[in-house]
Amino acid sequence: MVVQRDQPVQVWGRAAPGARIAASFAEGEAIIAQADEEGRWSLELPAQTAGGPYVMRIDDGTQPRVLRDVLVGDVWLASGQSNMEWPIAQSADPETEAARATDPQIRHFKIPKSWAGEPQADLAGGEWVASSPQAAARFSAVAHFFARELRKVTGVPIGIIDSTWGGSRIEAWMDASSQRLDEQALATQAEKLRADDERALAQTRQNLARWPALPVDDAGWQAPKLKLSAWTPIRVPSLWEATGWTGMDGVAWYRTTFTLTADEAAAGVTLGVGRIDDSDITWVNGTQVGETRMQYNQPRRYVVPASALRKGVNHVAVRVSDTGGGGGIHGEVTEVFVQPQGGAPRALADWSFRPSNVTVALIDDKNQHPTLLYNAMIHPLQPYALRGVIWYQGESNANTVAEALRYRRQFPALIEQWRTQWRTQWDAPSLPFLWVQLANFSSGADKGDESPWATLREAQSMTLWMPGTAQVVTIDIGNPSDIHPLNKQDVGKRLALAARNVAYGETVAFHGPVPQYTRFEGSAAHVEFGTSGGTLAVRGGGTRVHGFALAGTDQVFHPAEATLQNGRVVVRSAAVPRPAAVRYGWSDNPVDADLINTDQLPASPFRSDNW
């Protein structure tokens, strides 16, 4: 493992009531503690400078523990939802990056997804793993690339504690008091959730009982003449959880048929198999016609060539792989179809279903409930000293503008809560807290001048009033069609730049241009920027800046022309002769926003109004 340098090393646990516990570290003298009447004990070992490997010994007189290969360095907590959880294996250049992960002084501890109605003393599991080409593919990509950059500049061991859950709302990571919630009511609700879960899981297990041999080899299940007597009907489109398969994750298959005339078969068709959570391989008559990986909300439309088709009945097979959360073929009814060339789409009905390799557990929706993740995945950590926190979350709180506005209060409340609870010896402003602003993405929630994602980005930027914080802007490295952009390398690099300034005190450029104020003069808006964000520039060169809009007192925004002039941005629009407000990058997917500094770091979206 890695323990935090320059801070006392907290050691705690349980033993027999009244037991005497002795602990020592790095050849230091033993420190003694005594378990209380409930068996709880804790002690503090002297702070160490970076180094190792060392040995830690803990002895209660009956069952001594010896922990070897303990490094002293910097420990960072990586938390949030799927973009922080996203592993190297599913990011850009996975084979190359895994092969590069040869530094064993980078170590990761992955906390398993777990939840509880009350704060827990222990984690549900997890272990420290040293970086290696064999292990690194499973590591958080953002956290690993962040750690790799810090290793270059600090030279000390870096430990990453990965406490993440894809799709989680911020409320799940906060305690009850910070949300002014009744702790006992939450605990009672959690017990009801467990009881409801058990009933739902019993139904799933009963459904699976018809195939007692699971898992099974599913090779050949795409064959057109496969007998389906062992298969079961299923409603499509619908997540399989909604059809009696609650809590099931893994691999399952779908089959259906469609009929073509000879002319239709000779011309080829387009096949729509809906939105598939998470990945699919699709065949027609045993010929693979499409494959999409880890795109849970993308409608699949595959072109089927004439060579794969035949006159009469044609057989469709879809192998679905679900890594967690919802699973199966979902979306709109109109997204599940076959369409002959030049013809109208025809609905695909009468689907058959069969699991091949699945697990059953019910944790899928617990990332939506207040406090449940905090209780099990954050609270047990808190005696463990940290150097700081990196956070990537917000997508699940950006469904509506109203939700995004609440984030203005929730986000600083979470930071303040964690800082208050953590036992840190660092001077003010206490625990460094760095976050990634939402990347550009076409969520489909934009409504005219209203953008939930832009509003949440604004809430993130507004939290910079808190000392010891920094924000990484990523509107230039997202993917409009993928909520999980593959480029995690640049995210990690930018987080490391922020850490070098906020946590390590280096004078280094770590953020892009920041607007200070806007003057409205005649037909133009003059946006002034502070010096801390570097010299203004435009991605691609020149002085013409894109992504700006202006509005008059009617509060209707129009696209505007903007140019760099003497260290400021001057914005005009023929449609707005007397501007009263200016906005930049104000959309879920501000793909045209290109204001940067000469270090190539982007400006965050912003607005001068509060409409």
Side-chain angles (χ1 to χ4, degrees), residues 190-384:
E191 287 305 310
K192 182 179 182 301
L193 286 173
R194 289 193 186 278
D196 292 344
D197 286 356
E198 194 49 49
R199 284 191 291 271
L201 289 176
Q203 178 64 59
T204 302
R205 295 187 186 104
Q206 179 179 334
N207 291 343
L208 287 170
R210 66 179 298 168
W211 302 289
L214 292 178
V216 295
D217 181 3
D218 58 10
W221 283 16
Q222 72 273 23
K225 295 184 178 181
L226 184 74
K227 293 182 179 180
L228 302 183
S229 57
W231 294 50
T232 189
I234 192 169
R235 184 174 72 251
V236 172
S238 179
L239 292 173
W240 62 48
E241 285 82 357
T243 62
W245 306 91
T246 300
M248 187 175 78
D249 298 316
V251 178
W253 287 68
Y254 291 75
R255 297 276 307 223
T256 192
T257 61
F258 59 86
T259 303
L260 298 176
T261 67
D263 289 343
E264 289 171 338
V269 302
T270 298
L271 178 68
V273 288
R275 307 178 188 214
I276 294 179
D277 195 343
D278 295 292
S279 305
D280 75 287
I281 306 175
T282 298
W283 293 264
V284 173
N285 297 323
T287 298
Q288 183 174 327
V289 297
E291 178 178 8
T292 305
R293 296 184 180 182
M294 300 307 297
Q295 299 292 325
Y296 76 96
N297 206 31
Q298 177 180 311
R300 272 57 163 180
R301 295 171 58 92
Y302 298 134
V303 175
V304 184
S307 59
L309 299 170
R310 63 186 62 168
K311 175 186 175 182
V313 176
N314 292 260
H315 298 265
V316 178
V318 184
R319 185 181 193 267
V320 174
S321 298
D322 171 42
T323 60
I329 300 176
H330 66 113
E332 303 295 330
V333 171
T334 55
E335 295 171 337
V336 183
F337 64 91
V338 61
Q339 183 175 15
Q341 291 291 328
R346 303 170 188 167
L348 294 176
D350 300 324
W351 288 83
S352 298
F353 179 75
R354 184 176 179 183
S356 64
N357 187 359
V358 296
T359 60
V360 178
L362 227 172
I363 59 173
D364 289 346
D365 65 338
K366 304 310 179 294
N367 56 3
Q368 305 298 299
H369 294 269
T371 77
L372 296 187
L373 308 193
Y374 164 79
N375 290 337
M377 299 176 69
I378 296 296
H379 183 269
L381 289 172
Q382 286 173 348
Y384 205 87

Side-chain angles (χ1 to χ4, degrees), residues 33 149 162 322 394:
E149 295 300 310
D162 179 348
D322 171 42

Side-chain angles (χ1 to χ4, degrees), residues 338-608:
V338 61
Q339 183 175 15
Q341 291 291 328
R346 303 170 188 167
L348 294 176
D350 300 324
W351 288 83
S352 298
F353 179 75
R354 184 176 179 183
S356 64
N357 187 359
V358 296
T359 60
V360 178
L362 227 172
I363 59 173
D364 289 346
D365 65 338
K366 304 310 179 294
N367 56 3
Q368 305 298 299
H369 294 269
T371 77
L372 296 187
L373 308 193
Y374 164 79
N375 290 337
M377 299 176 69
I378 296 296
H379 183 269
L381 289 172
Q382 286 173 348
Y384 205 87
L386 302 176
R387 190 64 183 89
V389 177
I390 55 175
W391 172 263
Y392 195 162
Q393 192 276 335
E395 295 92 337
S396 291
N397 288 84
N399 298 306
T400 66
V401 169
E403 278 189 350
L405 287 170
R406 286 196 291 272
Y407 208 82
R408 294 182 180 184
R409 300 187 302 274
Q410 293 169 316
F411 192 29
L414 176 137
I415 296 172
E416 184 62 31
Q417 174 210 320
W418 285 17
R419 284 178 165 177
T420 299
Q421 293 170 337
W422 231 277
R423 298 178 182 177
T424 177
Q425 303 299 317
W426 299 108
D427 294 332
S430 191
L431 197 66
F433 200 106
L434 321 173
W435 63 85
V436 182
Q437 192 186 62
L438 295 189
N440 55 301
F441 175 64
S442 295
S443 72
D446 273 331
K447 294 180 180 179
D449 295 332
E450 291 190 354
S451 164
W453 280 51
T455 305
L456 194 129
R457 292 187 192 107
E458 180 183 58
Q460 293 173 311
S461 295
M462 292 172 72
T463 307
L464 289 168
W465 68 264
M466 301 185 76
T469 60
Q471 171 175 265
V472 167
V473 178
T474 59
I475 59 168
D476 59 326
I477 54 175
N479 184 334
S481 61
D482 189 353
I483 201 170
H484 303 122
L486 300 184
N487 180 1
K488 304 302 189 194
Q489 291 90 336
D490 283 328
V491 180
K493 289 177 181 178
R494 292 178 186 180
L495 277 169
L497 286 175
R500 289 169 64 185
N501 180 274
V502 172
Y504 297 100
E506 286 190 60
T507 302
V508 58
F510 68 100
H511 64 77
V514 178
Q516 297 297 299
Y517 61 91
T518 301
R519 293 182 291 108
F520 297 99
E521 296 180 356
S523 63
H526 298 255
V527 185
E528 303 284 349
F529 290 80
T531 58
S532 66
T535 303
L536 298 183
V538 178
R539 187 181 306 107
T543 60
R544 176 78 180 273
V545 189
H546 302 88
F548 279 88
L550 286 176
T553 55
D554 62 357
Q555 301 188 9
V556 177
F557 282 88
H558 300 269
E561 295 185 356
T563 57
L564 300 183
Q565 295 182 20
N566 301 318
R568 67 176 64 91
V569 178
V570 180
V571 190
R572 291 184 173 87
S573 172
V576 187
R578 302 280 301 177
V582 61
R583 291 183 176 181
Y584 170 72
W586 201 259
S587 67
D588 290 7
N589 178 37
V591 68
D592 59 338
D594 55 8
L595 181 62
I596 59 173
N597 62 18
T598 51
D599 294 300
Q600 304 299 304
L601 295 175
S604 171
F606 63 88
R607 59 176 173 168
S608 67

